[in-house]
Amino acid sequence: MLIGLELTNYALFSHLSLGLTAPDVAALDDLSAVGEFYPLGQLSAIVGKNDSGKSALFAALGFLSDCLIHDVPFASAAGTRGGFAALKTHGSEGPMRLSMTFRKDRETFLTYSVGLDSDVHNRPYVKDEDVLLTTFKDGKKETRTLLQVAGGEGKVVARNGEESVAMVDRRHLSLGAYGRLLNYADLCWIYAQITRWFIASDDTEEEPLTGHTKGGHRHVSPRFDNIRNVLEYMEREDPRRYEETLAYIRERVPDFKRIGDAFLDHGQRSGSKRLFSLLLLLTDPKPRPLLCLDYPDQQMYHDAIDVLMFEIREYLRRHPTCQIFLTTYNPNTIEALRPGEVYLFERPEENSSVKVHAVGRSEKVRAMLKEGIGMASIWYGGYFEPEPK
Amino acid sequence: MHIEVLTEDRSGVPVARALIPALLKEAKSDASFSVRPHRGKGYLPKDLTSRPAKFASGLLELLPAKCRAYEKAGGVDVLVVVIDADHDDPSWLYRSLEMTVRQFAPSISFVFGIAVEEMESWLLGDKEAVLAAYPKADQKVIDRYEQDSLVGTWEVLCRAIYKDKAKDIIAEGYPTTGQYKHEWATMIAPHLDPKRNKSESFQRFRQTFLRIVGGRKER
């Protein structure tokens, strides 16, 4: 599980800190104190005014994932990203830094930190990269460096000891190399996490369409444009499961008529199609570790939102190590959330840095919810914002 | 010291944001405050100990639960409630509010601002502020208004600002009227001066606020 992250000098985040971050792991004395750092849980919802950076967070995760799967220059230019110079915070000094904290199991924390910068020609390169493993065994805390690379050189820890690292170029992340080799088990684990993130947001809109190719697709694509292919695959692979899944979804999508060409060819814009696609995504037997859904409740009637939120809860219950991040400004969605799941993004002035407030920290919010006041009313009353000092 | 200000609706927010700092300055207090709008006045629940109805969002509907929550969470020294009397008897409304807060938030001091008939009477009580925001407003309408009387207060303000066109707005009714009220409150609030406000209900509120905030010990 991704329990925390830090972004430095990425787009409008000069510094963004969410959940339990790398410095927090370093400061952690005891597993019982984890809650005090408000780690990200299975469901995290980001609310905030327009242009407060909500979608930019998903873009950052997508960027990191692409850097790992491909390389930094490719990732910087892919889709609508516009190159590294456009991604790095304007006027920032120092490299861009992306830091992810994972909790692999109750006692095991892995942090992955990447520093990226560009040369005089604005060509991006990997400045530094490291992976730290922190374990708590029998109350004893141990931290080991599994990977440490700077300037293209460093060291990595394999099963049988330490090895030196020498990258052929500065375009590729070392994790991209070692994470593909089973001999480096923990690095493989992190690589599998990050590269399997599902980022459904407007940033992915410009990518080549996958849906117009023929044939079965196993998984729903982040553009939600291969529904037909996924259904085809499912029908061929396991007809019984196919019928069951369709019946399950049909019962839950209000106004569902039948799956015909007309239904499937409507763009993602239609609320019913959107709900259908999301429910199909949630039935995936091999779910992704993290789904990032940008305004999944767009254009959805309130009863459809109730269905979506329930199915999200059920999905997370079935898959205790899976996570969903979503952005929203719909009161019906917010009504279905708990304080600990909500993060408010604020950008006080147009060019200032984004501030994050974990609503779970507010005793007032928790107390009001306990007394039966709904989250939407609490939000309307402005209680998601931090208290004035 | 922290003050929580509950208002009936969004139009109460700019008014509170203008008046509370002015009053705090008068009280020589550096207390912090938060303004909490609701979706309407609502009604106090028959059973004050019950949980609010699902999606309840009116001020009075949520008041008992909020009092309990504030008492448990702590960090609230003064609870200010700004509410329109509308058709309710202001003293009855006052007693109901007092009973609720004393019962469920005994450690919190309270100040109730009950506008007669509604919040616009506090705006009409400060003619200079209305004219500063709307220089072309009809002064005669404002002068003819009997302060704090039950005459359809917001219609008076509407006629002062919109003159002939006022009857169209009045005819449209809810929710359009709410949008206009918010607009007037936003425009007029920055010009308000508590000391010169002619509304008696406002002056009562002001005196009580100064007394409570001045008297409350720092926790």
mmCIF file of all heavy atoms in Angstrom, chain A residues 108-149:
data_model
loop_
_atom_site.group_PDB
_atom_site.id
_atom_site.type_symbol
_atom_site.label_atom_id
_atom_site.label_comp_id
_atom_site.label_asym_id
_atom_site.label_seq_id
_atom_site.Cartn_x
_atom_site.Cartn_y
_atom_site.Cartn_z
ATOM 1 N N THR A 108 6.901 -3.904 7.493
ATOM 2 C CA THR A 108 7.878 -3.571 6.447
ATOM 3 C C THR A 108 7.510 -2.313 5.677
ATOM 4 O O THR A 108 6.451 -2.244 5.067
ATOM 5 C CB THR A 108 7.985 -4.736 5.438
ATOM 6 O OG1 THR A 108 8.108 -5.957 6.158
ATOM 7 C CG2 THR A 108 9.172 -4.553 4.507
ATOM 8 N N PHE A 109 8.400 -1.334 5.699
ATOM 9 C CA PHE A 109 8.190 -0.071 4.989
ATOM 10 C C PHE A 109 9.286 0.104 3.940
ATOM 11 O O PHE A 109 10.459 -0.121 4.216
ATOM 12 C CB PHE A 109 8.249 1.112 5.963
ATOM 13 C CG PHE A 109 7.173 1.070 7.016
ATOM 14 C CD1 PHE A 109 7.309 0.276 8.149
ATOM 15 C CD2 PHE A 109 6.021 1.821 6.872
ATOM 16 C CE1 PHE A 109 6.315 0.222 9.114
ATOM 17 C CE2 PHE A 109 5.022 1.782 7.839
ATOM 18 C CZ PHE A 109 5.175 0.975 8.961
ATOM 19 N N LEU A 110 8.877 0.506 2.748
ATOM 20 C CA LEU A 110 9.849 0.756 1.674
ATOM 21 C C LEU A 110 9.643 2.181 1.183
ATOM 22 O O LEU A 110 8.521 2.581 0.888
ATOM 23 C CB LEU A 110 9.605 -0.213 0.513
ATOM 24 C CG LEU A 110 10.038 -1.656 0.742
ATOM 25 C CD1 LEU A 110 9.287 -2.599 -0.186
ATOM 26 C CD2 LEU A 110 11.543 -1.788 0.512
ATOM 27 N N THR A 111 10.716 2.938 1.107
ATOM 28 C CA THR A 111 10.576 4.275 0.535
ATOM 29 C C THR A 111 11.439 4.372 -0.714
ATOM 30 O O THR A 111 12.577 3.901 -0.748
ATOM 31 C CB THR A 111 10.994 5.388 1.523
ATOM 32 O OG1 THR A 111 12.377 5.256 1.819
ATOM 33 C CG2 THR A 111 10.206 5.327 2.803
ATOM 34 N N TYR A 112 10.863 4.970 -1.734
ATOM 35 C CA TYR A 112 11.550 5.115 -3.021
ATOM 36 C C TYR A 112 11.597 6.595 -3.354
ATOM 37 O O TYR A 112 10.564 7.258 -3.412
ATOM 38 C CB TYR A 112 10.798 4.350 -4.103
ATOM 39 C CG TYR A 112 11.360 4.524 -5.488
ATOM 40 C CD1 TYR A 112 12.725 4.321 -5.741
ATOM 41 C CD2 TYR A 112 10.543 4.861 -6.549
ATOM 42 C CE1 TYR A 112 13.244 4.477 -7.017
ATOM 43 C CE2 TYR A 112 11.048 5.013 -7.830
ATOM 44 C CZ TYR A 112 12.399 4.816 -8.055
ATOM 45 O OH TYR A 112 12.907 4.967 -9.320
ATOM 46 N N SER A 113 12.791 7.110 -3.559
ATOM 47 C CA SER A 113 12.922 8.544 -3.797
ATOM 48 C C SER A 113 13.748 8.807 -5.038
ATOM 49 O O SER A 113 14.808 8.199 -5.240
ATOM 50 C CB SER A 113 13.580 9.189 -2.574
ATOM 51 O OG SER A 113 13.684 10.572 -2.767
ATOM 52 N N VAL A 114 13.218 9.677 -5.898
ATOM 53 C CA VAL A 114 13.885 9.963 -7.164
ATOM 54 C C VAL A 114 14.111 11.467 -7.290
ATOM 55 O O VAL A 114 13.183 12.239 -7.053
ATOM 56 C CB VAL A 114 12.983 9.523 -8.341
ATOM 57 C CG1 VAL A 114 13.589 9.925 -9.655
ATOM 58 C CG2 VAL A 114 12.733 8.044 -8.292
ATOM 59 N N GLY A 115 15.314 11.863 -7.679
ATOM 60 C CA GLY A 115 15.578 13.272 -7.947
ATOM 61 C C GLY A 115 15.812 13.440 -9.440
ATOM 62 O O GLY A 115 16.621 12.723 -10.022
ATOM 63 N N LEU A 116 15.089 14.338 -10.077
ATOM 64 C CA LEU A 116 15.232 14.554 -11.517
ATOM 65 C C LEU A 116 15.602 16.013 -11.782
ATOM 66 O O LEU A 116 15.108 16.913 -11.115
ATOM 67 C CB LEU A 116 13.906 14.250 -12.236
ATOM 68 C CG LEU A 116 13.314 12.866 -12.052
ATOM 69 C CD1 LEU A 116 11.934 12.793 -12.713
ATOM 70 C CD2 LEU A 116 14.225 11.801 -12.641
ATOM 71 N N ASP A 117 16.438 16.215 -12.752
ATOM 72 C CA ASP A 117 16.779 17.596 -13.112
ATOM 73 C C ASP A 117 17.023 17.658 -14.620
ATOM 74 O O ASP A 117 16.909 16.651 -15.314
ATOM 75 C CB ASP A 117 17.997 18.065 -12.326
ATOM 76 C CG ASP A 117 17.896 19.546 -11.969
ATOM 77 O OD1 ASP A 117 17.221 20.306 -12.712
ATOM 78 O OD2 ASP A 117 18.480 19.951 -10.953
ATOM 79 N N SER A 118 17.356 18.851 -15.119
ATOM 80 C CA SER A 118 17.591 18.952 -16.556
ATOM 81 C C SER A 118 18.871 19.740 -16.801
ATOM 82 O O SER A 118 19.305 20.540 -15.971
ATOM 83 C CB SER A 118 16.410 19.637 -17.249
ATOM 84 O OG SER A 118 16.109 20.850 -16.627
ATOM 85 N N ASP A 119 19.456 19.495 -17.960
ATOM 86 C CA ASP A 119 20.708 20.178 -18.290
ATOM 87 C C ASP A 119 20.424 21.500 -19.010
ATOM 88 O O ASP A 119 19.268 21.907 -19.116
ATOM 89 C CB ASP A 119 21.614 19.262 -19.120
ATOM 90 C CG ASP A 119 20.974 18.903 -20.470
ATOM 91 O OD1 ASP A 119 20.032 19.595 -20.922
ATOM 92 O OD2 ASP A 119 21.427 17.915 -21.069
ATOM 93 N N VAL A 120 21.499 22.141 -19.481
ATOM 94 C CA VAL A 120 21.302 23.466 -20.100
ATOM 95 C C VAL A 120 20.398 23.413 -21.329
ATOM 96 O O VAL A 120 19.819 24.401 -21.735
ATOM 97 C CB VAL A 120 22.655 24.119 -20.500
ATOM 98 C CG1 VAL A 120 23.411 24.529 -19.255
ATOM 99 C CG2 VAL A 120 23.475 23.192 -21.362
ATOM 100 N N HIS A 121 20.279 22.223 -21.921
ATOM 101 C CA HIS A 121 19.409 22.102 -23.090
ATOM 102 C C HIS A 121 18.012 21.630 -22.707
ATOM 103 O O HIS A 121 17.245 21.193 -23.564
ATOM 104 C CB HIS A 121 20.015 21.109 -24.097
ATOM 105 C CG HIS A 121 21.411 21.449 -24.476
ATOM 106 N ND1 HIS A 121 21.731 22.545 -25.234
ATOM 107 C CD2 HIS A 121 22.590 20.843 -24.159
ATOM 108 C CE1 HIS A 121 23.037 22.591 -25.393
ATOM 109 N NE2 HIS A 121 23.589 21.576 -24.749
ATOM 110 N N ASN A 122 17.721 21.700 -21.407
ATOM 111 C CA ASN A 122 16.427 21.235 -20.898
ATOM 112 C C ASN A 122 16.191 19.754 -21.075
ATOM 113 O O ASN A 122 15.044 19.294 -21.081
ATOM 114 C CB ASN A 122 15.260 22.003 -21.557
ATOM 115 C CG ASN A 122 15.011 23.332 -20.871
ATOM 116 O OD1 ASN A 122 15.266 23.465 -19.672
ATOM 117 N ND2 ASN A 122 14.527 24.314 -21.606
ATOM 118 N N ARG A 123 17.242 19.005 -21.236
ATOM 119 C CA ARG A 123 17.080 17.551 -21.328
ATOM 120 C C ARG A 123 17.071 16.987 -19.919
ATOM 121 O O ARG A 123 17.968 17.262 -19.124
ATOM 122 C CB ARG A 123 18.226 16.912 -22.128
ATOM 123 C CG ARG A 123 18.157 17.227 -23.607
ATOM 124 C CD ARG A 123 19.315 16.591 -24.331
ATOM 125 N NE ARG A 123 20.602 17.008 -23.773
ATOM 126 C CZ ARG A 123 21.756 16.889 -24.431
ATOM 127 N NH1 ARG A 123 21.771 16.411 -25.662
ATOM 128 N NH2 ARG A 123 22.890 17.259 -23.859
ATOM 129 N N PRO A 124 16.033 16.197 -19.590
ATOM 130 C CA PRO A 124 15.956 15.686 -18.218
ATOM 131 C C PRO A 124 16.889 14.501 -17.994
ATOM 132 O O PRO A 124 17.194 13.758 -18.933
ATOM 133 C CB PRO A 124 14.497 15.226 -18.116
ATOM 134 C CG PRO A 124 14.104 14.888 -19.511
ATOM 135 C CD PRO A 124 14.901 15.765 -20.426
ATOM 136 N N TYR A 125 17.318 14.337 -16.749
ATOM 137 C CA TYR A 125 18.147 13.177 -16.392
ATOM 138 C C TYR A 125 17.881 12.808 -14.943
ATOM 139 O O TYR A 125 17.332 13.606 -14.160
ATOM 140 C CB TYR A 125 19.637 13.480 -16.611
ATOM 141 C CG TYR A 125 20.171 14.579 -15.731
ATOM 142 C CD1 TYR A 125 20.737 14.303 -14.483
ATOM 143 C CD2 TYR A 125 20.139 15.910 -16.156
ATOM 144 C CE1 TYR A 125 21.217 15.308 -13.670
ATOM 145 C CE2 TYR A 125 20.630 16.927 -15.349
ATOM 146 C CZ TYR A 125 21.174 16.621 -14.106
ATOM 147 O OH TYR A 125 21.647 17.630 -13.313
ATOM 148 N N VAL A 126 18.292 11.603 -14.582
ATOM 149 C CA VAL A 126 18.124 11.132 -13.210
ATOM 150 C C VAL A 126 19.294 11.634 -12.389
ATOM 151 O O VAL A 126 20.442 11.277 -12.636
ATOM 152 C CB VAL A 126 18.074 9.589 -13.157
ATOM 153 C CG1 VAL A 126 17.884 9.125 -11.720
ATOM 154 C CG2 VAL A 126 16.962 9.057 -14.043
ATOM 155 N N LYS A 127 19.002 12.455 -11.410
ATOM 156 C CA LYS A 127 20.080 13.002 -10.578
ATOM 157 C C LYS A 127 20.462 11.975 -9.520
ATOM 158 O O LYS A 127 21.629 11.656 -9.357
ATOM 159 C CB LYS A 127 19.592 14.284 -9.925
ATOM 160 C CG LYS A 127 20.638 15.076 -9.191
ATOM 161 C CD LYS A 127 20.168 16.518 -9.000
ATOM 162 C CE LYS A 127 21.308 17.401 -8.522
ATOM 163 N NZ LYS A 127 21.692 17.116 -7.125
ATOM 164 N N ASP A 128 19.454 11.497 -8.795
ATOM 165 C CA ASP A 128 19.724 10.500 -7.762
ATOM 166 C C ASP A 128 18.482 9.658 -7.536
ATOM 167 O O ASP A 128 17.388 10.018 -7.955
ATOM 168 C CB ASP A 128 20.170 11.157 -6.458
ATOM 169 C CG ASP A 128 19.157 12.179 -5.962
ATOM 170 O OD1 ASP A 128 18.025 11.772 -5.616
ATOM 171 O OD2 ASP A 128 19.475 13.379 -5.953
ATOM 172 N N GLU A 129 18.717 8.541 -6.880
ATOM 173 C CA GLU A 129 17.628 7.584 -6.698
ATOM 174 C C GLU A 129 17.982 6.714 -5.505
ATOM 175 O O GLU A 129 19.134 6.289 -5.384
ATOM 176 C CB GLU A 129 17.585 6.710 -7.971
ATOM 177 C CG GLU A 129 16.300 6.003 -8.228
ATOM 178 C CD GLU A 129 16.401 5.192 -9.523
ATOM 179 O OE1 GLU A 129 17.278 5.489 -10.359
ATOM 180 O OE2 GLU A 129 15.614 4.264 -9.683
ATOM 181 N N ASP A 130 17.037 6.483 -4.609
ATOM 182 C CA ASP A 130 17.342 5.512 -3.556
ATOM 183 C C ASP A 130 16.116 4.791 -3.044
ATOM 184 O O ASP A 130 14.992 5.273 -3.173
ATOM 185 C CB ASP A 130 18.136 6.136 -2.408
ATOM 186 C CG ASP A 130 17.428 7.298 -1.772
ATOM 187 O OD1 ASP A 130 16.429 7.071 -1.059
ATOM 188 O OD2 ASP A 130 17.879 8.433 -1.991
ATOM 189 N N VAL A 131 16.372 3.620 -2.525
ATOM 190 C CA VAL A 131 15.329 2.795 -1.916
ATOM 191 C C VAL A 131 15.800 2.411 -0.520
ATOM 192 O O VAL A 131 16.909 1.904 -0.342
ATOM 193 C CB VAL A 131 15.070 1.500 -2.715
ATOM 194 C CG1 VAL A 131 14.072 0.611 -1.971
ATOM 195 C CG2 VAL A 131 14.553 1.824 -4.109
ATOM 196 N N LEU A 132 14.917 2.683 0.464
ATOM 197 C CA LEU A 132 15.243 2.321 1.843
ATOM 198 C C LEU A 132 14.245 1.301 2.347
ATOM 199 O O LEU A 132 13.043 1.435 2.128
ATOM 200 C CB LEU A 132 15.151 3.559 2.744
ATOM 201 C CG LEU A 132 16.330 4.528 2.675
ATOM 202 C CD1 LEU A 132 15.909 5.897 3.171
ATOM 203 C CD2 LEU A 132 17.484 4.023 3.503
ATOM 204 N N LEU A 133 14.749 0.294 3.027
ATOM 205 C CA LEU A 133 13.890 -0.726 3.628
ATOM 206 C C LEU A 133 13.937 -0.553 5.134
ATOM 207 O O LEU A 133 15.016 -0.560 5.724
ATOM 208 C CB LEU A 133 14.388 -2.121 3.231
ATOM 209 C CG LEU A 133 13.799 -3.311 3.989
ATOM 210 C CD1 LEU A 133 12.349 -3.538 3.562
ATOM 211 C CD2 LEU A 133 14.606 -4.576 3.724
ATOM 212 N N THR A 134 12.778 -0.375 5.752
ATOM 213 C CA THR A 134 12.724 -0.252 7.213
ATOM 214 C C THR A 134 11.827 -1.353 7.745
ATOM 215 O O THR A 134 10.698 -1.516 7.288
ATOM 216 C CB THR A 134 12.142 1.112 7.631
ATOM 217 O OG1 THR A 134 12.900 2.148 7.032
ATOM 218 C CG2 THR A 134 12.160 1.271 9.147
ATOM 219 N N THR A 135 12.350 -2.137 8.681
ATOM 220 C CA THR A 135 11.541 -3.205 9.260
ATOM 221 C C THR A 135 11.488 -3.062 10.774
ATOM 222 O O THR A 135 12.398 -2.528 11.398
ATOM 223 C CB THR A 135 12.125 -4.590 8.931
ATOM 224 O OG1 THR A 135 13.497 -4.610 9.319
ATOM 225 C CG2 THR A 135 12.009 -4.916 7.460
ATOM 226 N N PHE A 136 10.370 -3.543 11.315
ATOM 227 C CA PHE A 136 10.223 -3.586 12.770
ATOM 228 C C PHE A 136 10.021 -5.053 13.127
ATOM 229 O O PHE A 136 8.942 -5.601 12.957
ATOM 230 C CB PHE A 136 8.986 -2.793 13.207
ATOM 231 C CG PHE A 136 9.127 -1.315 13.051
ATOM 232 C CD1 PHE A 136 8.908 -0.707 11.835
ATOM 233 C CD2 PHE A 136 9.493 -0.517 14.139
ATOM 234 C CE1 PHE A 136 9.042 0.669 11.682
ATOM 235 C CE2 PHE A 136 9.619 0.860 14.002
ATOM 236 C CZ PHE A 136 9.396 1.442 12.771
ATOM 237 N N LYS A 137 11.083 -5.710 13.591
ATOM 238 C CA LYS A 137 10.939 -7.115 13.950
ATOM 239 C C LYS A 137 11.148 -7.241 15.441
ATOM 240 O O LYS A 137 12.180 -6.841 15.969
ATOM 241 C CB LYS A 137 11.982 -7.969 13.190
ATOM 242 C CG LYS A 137 11.668 -8.058 11.697
ATOM 243 C CD LYS A 137 11.406 -9.501 11.225
ATOM 244 C CE LYS A 137 10.526 -9.513 10.004
ATOM 245 N NZ LYS A 137 11.218 -8.977 8.801
ATOM 246 N N ASP A 138 10.134 -7.802 16.112
ATOM 247 C CA ASP A 138 10.180 -7.935 17.580
ATOM 248 C C ASP A 138 10.491 -6.599 18.237
ATOM 249 O O ASP A 138 11.326 -6.511 19.134
ATOM 250 C CB ASP A 138 11.255 -8.958 18.011
ATOM 251 C CG ASP A 138 11.037 -10.292 17.352
ATOM 252 O OD1 ASP A 138 9.866 -10.739 17.313
ATOM 253 O OD2 ASP A 138 12.023 -10.875 16.867
ATOM 254 N N GLY A 139 9.826 -5.534 17.735
ATOM 255 C CA GLY A 139 10.011 -4.219 18.351
ATOM 256 C C GLY A 139 11.318 -3.550 18.006
ATOM 257 O O GLY A 139 11.580 -2.428 18.443
ATOM 258 N N LYS A 140 12.175 -4.211 17.231
ATOM 259 C CA LYS A 140 13.447 -3.597 16.897
ATOM 260 C C LYS A 140 13.363 -2.997 15.487
ATOM 261 O O LYS A 140 12.923 -3.655 14.549
ATOM 262 C CB LYS A 140 14.562 -4.645 16.944
ATOM 263 C CG LYS A 140 15.877 -4.077 17.476
ATOM 264 C CD LYS A 140 16.891 -5.190 17.742
ATOM 265 C CE LYS A 140 17.439 -5.744 16.447
ATOM 266 N NZ LYS A 140 18.829 -5.283 16.196
ATOM 267 N N LYS A 141 13.811 -1.755 15.368
ATOM 268 C CA LYS A 141 13.726 -1.069 14.074
ATOM 269 C C LYS A 141 15.058 -1.194 13.329
ATOM 270 O O LYS A 141 16.125 -0.965 13.904
ATOM 271 C CB LYS A 141 13.411 0.411 14.296
ATOM 272 C CG LYS A 141 13.328 1.220 13.022
ATOM 273 C CD LYS A 141 13.031 2.685 13.333
ATOM 274 C CE LYS A 141 12.945 3.491 12.032
ATOM 275 N NZ LYS A 141 12.715 4.911 12.296
ATOM 276 N N GLU A 142 14.985 -1.578 12.072
ATOM 277 C CA GLU A 142 16.201 -1.702 11.269
ATOM 278 C C GLU A 142 15.992 -1.034 9.923
ATOM 279 O O GLU A 142 14.957 -1.259 9.288
ATOM 280 C CB GLU A 142 16.446 -3.190 11.036
ATOM 281 C CG GLU A 142 17.821 -3.668 11.445
ATOM 282 C CD GLU A 142 18.015 -5.121 11.038
ATOM 283 O OE1 GLU A 142 18.221 -5.385 9.835
ATOM 284 O OE2 GLU A 142 17.932 -5.976 11.939
ATOM 285 N N THR A 143 16.946 -0.233 9.509
ATOM 286 C CA THR A 143 16.841 0.413 8.198
ATOM 287 C C THR A 143 18.026 0.026 7.329
ATOM 288 O O THR A 143 19.164 0.084 7.775
ATOM 289 C CB THR A 143 16.821 1.958 8.349
ATOM 290 O OG1 THR A 143 15.698 2.306 9.159
ATOM 291 C CG2 THR A 143 16.661 2.628 7.003
ATOM 292 N N ARG A 144 17.736 -0.390 6.101
ATOM 293 C CA ARG A 144 18.812 -0.736 5.169
ATOM 294 C C ARG A 144 18.606 0.003 3.866
ATOM 295 O O ARG A 144 17.477 0.168 3.414
ATOM 296 C CB ARG A 144 18.797 -2.242 4.893
ATOM 297 C CG ARG A 144 19.263 -3.103 6.053
ATOM 298 C CD ARG A 144 19.005 -4.574 5.754
ATOM 299 N NE ARG A 144 19.818 -5.033 4.635
ATOM 300 C CZ ARG A 144 19.491 -6.050 3.849
ATOM 301 N NH1 ARG A 144 18.359 -6.693 4.029
ATOM 302 N NH2 ARG A 144 20.284 -6.441 2.877
ATOM 303 N N THR A 145 19.696 0.384 3.250
ATOM 304 C CA THR A 145 19.610 0.991 1.928
ATOM 305 C C THR A 145 19.683 -0.102 0.892
ATOM 306 O O THR A 145 20.662 -0.842 0.833
ATOM 307 C CB THR A 145 20.787 1.966 1.710
ATOM 308 O OG1 THR A 145 20.751 2.942 2.751
ATOM 309 C CG2 THR A 145 20.658 2.660 0.367
ATOM 310 N N LEU A 146 18.633 -0.253 0.085
ATOM 311 C CA LEU A 146 18.640 -1.306 -0.929
ATOM 312 C C LEU A 146 19.192 -0.811 -2.264
ATOM 313 O O LEU A 146 19.670 -1.599 -3.074
ATOM 314 C CB LEU A 146 17.217 -1.833 -1.155
ATOM 315 C CG LEU A 146 16.536 -2.504 0.033
ATOM 316 C CD1 LEU A 146 15.186 -3.069 -0.403
ATOM 317 C CD2 LEU A 146 17.406 -3.619 0.604
ATOM 318 N N LEU A 147 19.061 0.482 -2.484
ATOM 319 C CA LEU A 147 19.528 1.045 -3.758
ATOM 320 C C LEU A 147 19.948 2.485 -3.495
ATOM 321 O O LEU A 147 19.237 3.234 -2.824
ATOM 322 C CB LEU A 147 18.403 1.020 -4.800
ATOM 323 C CG LEU A 147 18.694 1.663 -6.161
ATOM 324 C CD1 LEU A 147 19.654 0.806 -6.970
ATOM 325 C CD2 LEU A 147 17.401 1.833 -6.963
ATOM 326 N N GLN A 148 21.091 2.841 -4.013
ATOM 327 C CA GLN A 148 21.514 4.228 -3.847
ATOM 328 C C GLN A 148 22.346 4.610 -5.053
ATOM 329 O O GLN A 148 23.433 4.057 -5.256
ATOM 330 C CB GLN A 148 22.342 4.384 -2.577
ATOM 331 C CG GLN A 148 22.578 5.834 -2.190
ATOM 332 C CD GLN A 148 23.160 5.912 -0.793
ATOM 333 O OE1 GLN A 148 24.283 5.446 -0.564
ATOM 334 N NE2 GLN A 148 22.404 6.458 0.141
ATOM 335 N N VAL A 149 21.812 5.494 -5.865
ATOM 336 C CA VAL A 149 22.493 5.862 -7.108
ATOM 337 C C VAL A 149 22.518 7.376 -7.220
ATOM 338 O O VAL A 149 21.516 8.040 -6.968
ATOM 339 C CB VAL A 149 21.750 5.267 -8.340
ATOM 340 C CG1 VAL A 149 22.434 5.679 -9.637
ATOM 341 C CG2 VAL A 149 21.660 3.769 -8.230
#
